[in-house]
Amino acid sequence: MKKKERYWMDLNRQVVRGRFYSLAEPGEIVPVYNLCTIDYASFKITKRGKTKRGDVDKANLLETLYNEKLLEKEAGVRKRKAQGNGLNEADNHTVAEAIQKFQTEYLPTKSRSTQASYGNSLKYWSKLFGSKKLSELDEDEIQIARDELTGSGLANSTLNRYIAALSSMITVCTEEYKWCRKYEIKDGARVKTGNMINPCKSIKQRKEPDSRVRFLLPEESKRLLKACQPDLKDAVMLSLLTGARKSEIWNLRFDSVNLEKKVVSFWHTKSGKPRSVPLYGDSFLILQRRFEALEGRSEWVFPRNTNFSKPKSFSDQWYKALDKSGLEDFHYHDLRHTAASYMVMAGVTLSA
């Protein structure tokens, strides 16, 4: 039978990790904590400078560090148990219970993209830590669990979103559900003393690449618009003039457009907060023309040609327009980066 490995060298992260079997409850994942850096385990600082540790010295050091970490974590477990009797509200709710409540009550108020992103992340955390109490969430365990995903091909930005999803859930449990409050007994009454510290707050984010920003140059805008078919040209113009995202324009409905007040409202935004944009010049004329041309036959500003009950997708037309215009390294979202105010100040006529 293979001997259980208690600690090992993690060469990717340059740390020595310890696996603590005695701390795991039946059915739970064995917790893993960092013991020290590989450099500290391999070398020691003496009066003569940095010298390599012998095998015995190194083994004794790791054994000592392992036992110290074990005692520290066991003390934490005893403290949490001693704080029972309702003194720590986070002891009364599991991570799975919190995630379920968060997904049912809070997440639906966020944008669809956030719901999708958080949904995948929270599924991962629920699988790993679902049986734990909220009070048992540990910074080291969370960071290590995130780092375990590194080899799965996920980008650093995605790994940061995993932490953000868990952190958001804990924050909501603290501020809205009151599930992470701490109490003590004073004069026979239970008095709040503070909140559980969110363990995600101290986890350093992975480095992300600088945001890519691509703007349309005046000459490029003319080439692009000339290459677009009429409906796509209207959509591109509205994107340039309102700064709206692709989904907001392609799925725009006439009930979100007020031609009398000259304003368009976007209800389903990435931030989850509706916003309204005034209509000036070409943006107003485009929406007015399309409203009159459809004569109430569709609720969509850009309906499908063969089925007016559904919005149109411009994907094929868009890529053909890019090829025809010769634009390189350009995405539809880059239209949002090209603010209409910049185009106007530069003296460019978008409809040219």
Side-chain angles (χ1 to χ4, degrees):
M1 186 174 182
K2 187 177 179 180
K3 184 179 179 181
K4 291 183 178 181
E5 186 180 48
R6 292 194 303 158
Y7 41 80
W8 73 99
M9 305 285 183
D10 188 330
L11 298 179
N12 289 330
R13 299 171 183 83
Q14 288 296 301
V15 295
V16 181
R17 286 183 167 181
R19 185 176 282 111
F20 294 80
Y21 297 94
S22 62
L23 297 178
E25 297 292 335
E28 284 190 351
I29 296 176
V30 176
V32 175
Y33 303 106
N34 294 337
L35 300 181
C36 66
T37 65
I38 290 180
D39 186 73
Y40 181 77
S42 303
F43 300 92
K44 60 182 177 180
I45 303 299
T46 67
K47 292 182 179 180
R48 297 180 179 180
K50 192 175 181 179
T51 60
K52 188 174 182 180
R53 296 182 188 274
D55 291 340
V56 175
D57 184 22
K58 184 176 181 179
N60 290 337
L61 172 67
L62 293 180
E63 189 69 19
T64 299
L65 293 175
Y66 183 92
N67 290 330
E68 287 177 350
K69 181 66 72 170
L70 178 61
L71 291 174
E72 174 193 333
K73 296 302 177 181
E74 286 178 338
V77 172
R78 288 195 299 272
K79 182 178 180 181
R80 286 193 293 270
K81 290 181 178 179
Q83 291 176 336
N85 303 319
L87 293 183
N88 191 343
E89 188 64 26
D91 285 332
N92 300 326
H93 305 281
T94 65
V95 173
E97 179 188 0
I99 288 177
Q100 178 63 37
K101 186 176 179 67
F102 179 80
Q103 288 182 310
T104 302
E105 299 181 8
Y106 183 81
L107 205 52
T109 66
K110 310 302 289 183
S111 66
R112 293 176 182 176
S113 59
T114 299
Q115 291 181 44
S117 173
Y118 275 26
N120 292 332
S121 304
L122 293 172
K123 183 178 180 180
Y124 175 71
W125 296 122
S126 185
K127 181 179 179 181
L128 281 183
F129 302 137
S131 61
K132 286 182 175 292
K133 303 296 183 182
L134 285 171
S135 59
E136 295 174 335
L137 283 173
D138 181 88
E139 170 194 339
D140 289 342
E141 288 188 21
I142 295 172
Q143 181 171 332
I144 290 171
R146 180 205 62 185
D147 293 345
E148 293 292 348
L149 290 167
T150 304
S152 63
L154 296 178
N156 281 352
S157 58
T158 302
L159 297 178
N160 289 338
R161 300 296 87 74
Y162 269 68
I163 297 296
L166 183 62
S167 180
S168 180
M169 184 275 290
I170 296 171
T171 297
V172 170
C173 284
T174 302
E175 297 178 356
E176 296 193 20
Y177 305 154
K178 316 303 181 187
W179 281 6
C180 297
R181 289 183 167 184
K182 291 184 176 182
Y183 302 89
E184 65 179 31
I185 302 299
K186 288 185 178 181
D187 299 326
R190 195 174 72 156
V191 179
K192 179 187 174 184
T193 58
N195 293 319
M196 181 187 91
I197 296 175
N198 187 336
C200 297
K201 296 297 185 182
S202 56
I203 296 177
K204 186 177 180 180
Q205 285 195 336
R206 289 293 192 89
K207 182 175 177 57
E208 298 183 22
D210 294 335
S211 299
R212 172 191 174 280
V213 178
R214 169 75 156 89
F215 291 93
L216 270 179
L217 298 175
E219 186 274 333
E220 289 179 321
S221 70
K222 293 180 180 180
R223 281 163 42 200
L224 176 61
L225 290 168
K226 185 177 180 180
C228 292
Q229 295 183 26
D231 282 355
L232 176 59
K233 181 178 179 180
D234 283 351
V236 170
M237 288 276 290
L238 287 175
S239 295
L240 287 170
L241 292 164
T242 64
R245 294 180 173 84
K246 178 176 73 174
S247 61
E248 295 171 344
I249 294 296
W250 291 12
N251 298 318
L252 184 61
R253 297 157 54 115
F254 281 114
D255 58 10
S256 297
V257 179
N258 190 323
L259 292 174
E260 291 185 1
K261 295 184 177 181
K262 294 187 177 182
V263 66
V264 58
S265 299
F266 300 107
W267 304 106
H268 302 291
T269 64
K270 186 176 181 179
S271 66
K273 297 179 180 180
R275 73 178 189 282
S276 295
V277 178
L279 299 171
Y280 298 110
D282 287 339
S283 60
F284 173 78
L285 293 175
I286 290 170
L287 290 170
Q288 183 183 53
R289 169 168 51 78
R290 298 194 67 83
F291 178 77
E292 293 173 351
L294 287 167
E295 297 179 336
R297 289 175 294 162
S298 176
E299 62 182 327
W300 305 100
V301 174
F302 297 103
R304 294 185 184 180
N305 295 336
T306 57
N307 186 352
F308 278 20
S309 65
K310 293 183 179 181
K312 187 174 187 175
S313 171
F314 291 105
S315 294
D316 291 340
Q317 289 188 29
W318 171 252
Y319 289 117
K320 288 179 181 178
L322 286 181
D323 289 338
K324 188 176 180 180
S325 65
L327 291 183
E328 297 181 354
D329 187 32
F330 193 79
H331 306 295
Y332 196 98
H333 187 76
D334 295 327
L335 296 173
R336 179 172 168 81
H337 298 154
T338 310
S341 59
Y342 170 81
M343 301 296 285
V344 172
M345 286 188 292
V348 178
T349 302
L350 295 177
S351 57

